Amino acid sequence: MKSLPQSVLFCCDHNAVRSPMAEGLMKKFYGTGTYVQSAGVHNDLEIDGFSIAACQEVGVELSRHRSRSFDEMQEWGDDLSSFDLIVALSPASQRKALEFTRVFHLDVDYWPIMDPTGMGETREQKLHHYRQTRDQIIQHLKDSWGEPTE
């Protein structure tokens, strides 16, 4: 078990499903002691409604999340080199994060989190897959940093 990083950036493909969930869950579990952000390789999707619903079930509010990409973070002056840890939740975001580590000294972890988009036919089936994704993230959080402190 590691001690909590000072700052962590979660990333996935679109910053619409996995990384916002991870950002919200981390903030809820471990409070404000760690600066937490999320980004995507692309920013072409808004926060996913099923992500919002699955996280609401565990008391995490995502409806105000605004998706953003790595490039936008840099344009807006967020210094990627200031993060202690980047946690990539998809292969594409892991590649992108590793590109940054060639320039900056950053730790990159890869958590293989399932992408639930496009899975299931009915609303209930879809929600089931999003819950699985949420629960995978929760398990990785606990495995990395222990039981929630909040």
Side-chain angles (χ1 to χ4, degrees):
M1 197 104 45
K2 299 177 289 216
S3 59
L4 284 166
Q6 292 286 297
S7 55
V8 62
L9 175 67
F10 289 102
C11 57
C12 64
D13 293 356
H14 303 279
N15 195 218
V17 179
R18 289 168 287 182
S19 57
M21 286 174 125
E23 177 186 353
L25 289 161
M26 173 109 188
K27 285 175 175 170
K28 177 171 175 62
F29 280 15
Y30 306 109
T32 53
T34 298
Y35 178 69
V36 186
Q37 290 291 314
S38 65
V41 177
H42 312 284
N43 168 27
D44 49 1
L45 300 172
E46 279 304 305
I47 181 80
D48 187 297
F50 287 106
S51 295
I52 294 171
C55 282
Q56 257 169 350
E57 294 177 345
V58 294
V60 173
E61 180 51 63
L62 292 185
S63 62
R64 291 188 301 279
H65 178 80
R66 292 291 160 260
S67 301
R68 62 197 194 142
S69 66
F70 282 114
D71 293 340
E72 284 171 319
M73 281 188 74
Q74 291 182 298
E75 282 163 31
W76 299 341
D78 252 318
D79 183 4
L80 290 166
S81 66
S82 68
F83 286 96
D84 292 337
L85 176 65
I86 296 182
V87 179
L89 308 174
S90 68
S93 64
Q94 182 188 26
R95 284 193 296 276
K96 187 80 171 169
L98 289 171
E99 280 173 33
F100 290 120
T101 62
R102 289 207 288 267
V103 187
F104 308 122
H105 178 69
L106 289 172
D107 286 332
V108 176
D109 282 355
Y110 174 57
W111 297 355
I113 302 293
M114 178 184 86
D115 179 0
T117 54
M119 296 172 87
E121 297 296 315
T122 66
R123 178 172 170 30
E124 196 46 51
Q125 286 170 342
K126 287 179 190 298
L127 202 47
H128 169 75
H129 291 293
Y130 279 79
R131 287 179 184 128
Q132 284 184 307
T133 295
R134 175 198 69 203
D135 294 344
Q136 281 182 2
I137 292 168
I138 288 172
Q139 192 57 57
H140 276 281
L141 287 167
K142 289 179 177 178
D143 289 346
S144 296
W145 298 299
E147 286 300 311
T149 55
E150 296 298 299

